[in-house]
Amino acid sequence: MKKRNAILLPRAQKPVSILGENIKLARLRRKFSAEQVAERANISRPTLLSIEKGNPNVSIGAYVKVLVVLGLEKDINKVAKDDDLGRRLQDASLIIRERAPKRTM
């Protein structure tokens, strides 16, 4: 089976790179080695290094495993928590129907 590489536009790649950098900084602040985090997350060290580089080919599950090891698993709940654009689009498409006036006989 051929491995597919994800190609992201720069606008989409930047947040993934920032996430990877933040994960690396969190690991360093906790003074964990890459080997320790990889072992605890049950992933390989090269996979952890790919996460820290913001590689889009790494599964979201691997990112979550690393966040759990670092004690940051609650941060994943903040992703797309408040969707302002989605709410505006939803509100714009609501059709408000007015009732016809009652007929008097």
Side-chain angles (χ1 to χ4, degrees):
M1 189 168 171
K2 189 175 180 182
K3 187 176 181 180
R4 297 186 317 176
N5 287 332
I7 298 173
L8 294 180
L9 296 173
R11 174 176 107 173
Q13 178 60 46
K14 188 173 181 180
V16 178
S17 297
I18 291 171
L19 174 62
E21 186 177 326
N22 288 343
I23 287 173
K24 182 176 183 176
L25 291 173
R27 176 179 65 80
L28 294 174
R29 281 187 213 108
R30 288 160 177 73
K31 298 183 179 174
F32 291 157
S33 70
E35 293 85 12
Q36 288 174 320
V37 173
E39 183 179 326
R40 291 177 186 178
N42 197 24
I43 60 174
S44 67
R45 187 171 177 270
T47 300
L48 176 62
L49 296 178
S50 292
I51 288 171
E52 291 180 350
K53 289 178 184 175
N55 186 338
N57 295 320
V58 179
S59 74
I60 189 74
Y63 278 88
V64 172
K65 286 179 182 181
V66 172
L67 289 173
V68 168
V69 169
L70 297 175
L72 299 172
E73 66 274 3
K74 291 184 181 178
D75 287 356
I76 200 73
N77 294 331
K78 295 178 184 175
V79 175
K81 182 177 179 181
D82 193 20
D83 183 15
D84 288 334
L85 176 61
R87 290 180 191 270
R88 283 191 219 136
L89 291 171
Q90 183 181 29
D91 291 345
S93 67
L94 292 178
I95 300 171
I96 301 173
R97 297 181 182 168
E98 293 185 27
R99 275 189 122 162
K102 290 185 179 180
R103 293 186 202 179
T104 58
M105 290 194 187

